[in-house]
């Protein structure tokens, strides 16, 4: 339940459920923890603060082995009411909650988006311990393609 002020939603999500992350992960085992707090901004606008913590295993860009990465998401977002044309009075009406209408699926999407934004663009070991592992398969790695582009002179 959400408190009247400082409404808070906390929980955990299994990485296996955050499918858009899977391409960049070496392992989808484990869970991440999130905390969403609702409050009013300076102009009375509804705001959300999202924090996410937990460790993920990113796929090294060179050898595809796991690179442990500690999530540290701390995002502040203004909530734009979905669809409805609300008057300023309605928006400022404290009896209207925006968080309770956020369903679990939407929370997962929201958390997933913010995790994606927080990830390093080119995760890699400082020194890869498994030089042969690059031959291990043909896993798609979007970052590898990106890096290739950056390295080319125009
Ligand atoms: Zn590596």
């Amino acid at each position: 339940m959400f408190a009247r002020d400082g409404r808070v939603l906390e929980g955990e999500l299994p990485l296996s459920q955050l499918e858009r992350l899977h391409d960049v992960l070496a392992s989808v085992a484990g869970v991440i923890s999130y905390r969403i707090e609702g409050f009013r901004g300076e102009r009375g606008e509804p705001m959300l603060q999202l924090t996410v913590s937990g460790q993920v295993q990113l796929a090294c860009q060179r050898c595809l082995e796991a690179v442990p990465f500690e999530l540290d998401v701390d995002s502040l977002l203004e909530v734009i009411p979905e669809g409805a044309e609300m008057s300023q009075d309605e928006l400022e009406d404290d009896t209207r909650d925006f968080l309770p209408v956020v369903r679990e699926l939407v929370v997962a999407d929201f958390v997933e988006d913010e995790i994606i934004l927080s990830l390093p663009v080119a995760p890699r070991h400082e020194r890869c311990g498994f030089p042969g592992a690059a031959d291990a398969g043909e896993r798609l790695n979007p970052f590898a393609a990106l890096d290739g582009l950056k390295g080319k002179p125009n």
Side-chain angles (χ1 to χ4, degrees), residues 60 62-64 125 128:
C60 171
R62 279 190 295 236
C63 72
L64 299 182
H125 299 112
C128 292

Side-chain angles (χ1 to χ4, degrees), residues 2-22:
F2 297 104
R4 192 54 185 278
D5 296 308
R7 289 155 290 209
V8 171
L9 179 61
E10 283 181 299
E12 291 187 335
L13 287 168
L15 286 169
S16 60
Q17 199 182 314
L18 304 178
E19 293 184 358
R20 281 182 292 145
L21 291 176
H22 290 185

Side-chain angles (χ1 to χ4, degrees), residues 33-139:
S33 304
Y34 66 86
R35 182 179 192 277
I36 302 172
E37 182 172 357
F39 62 97
R40 296 277 161 179
E42 286 176 10
R43 289 170 288 115
E45 71 278 25
M47 305 281 291
L48 287 180
Q49 182 168 34
L50 169 71
T51 53
V52 182
S53 60
Q55 195 183 72
V56 297
Q57 306 295 326
L58 298 174
C60 171
Q61 186 175 292
R62 279 190 295 236
C63 72
L64 299 182
E65 295 292 327
V67 183
F69 180 75
E70 206 64 48
L71 294 176
D72 184 20
V73 173
D74 189 350
S75 303
L76 209 53
L77 300 108
E78 182 171 348
V79 176
I80 296 151
E82 196 178 354
E85 290 181 35
M86 298 170 74
S87 72
Q88 197 59 32
D89 283 346
E90 284 175 314
L91 286 173
E92 289 173 359
D93 181 353
D94 270 341
T95 63
R96 294 182 83 118
D97 277 359
F98 48 90
L99 275 178
V101 303
V102 177
R103 289 165 307 188
E104 188 154 353
L105 203 68
V106 177
V107 169
D109 271 350
F110 175 44
V111 170
E112 192 173 33
D113 284 342
E114 295 301 313
I115 290 175
I116 288 169
L117 291 174
S118 79
L119 294 177
V121 174
R124 59 174 71 175
H125 299 112
E126 281 182 33
R127 293 178 59 187
C128 292
F130 307 92
D135 299 328
E138 301 186 1
R139 291 169 58 179

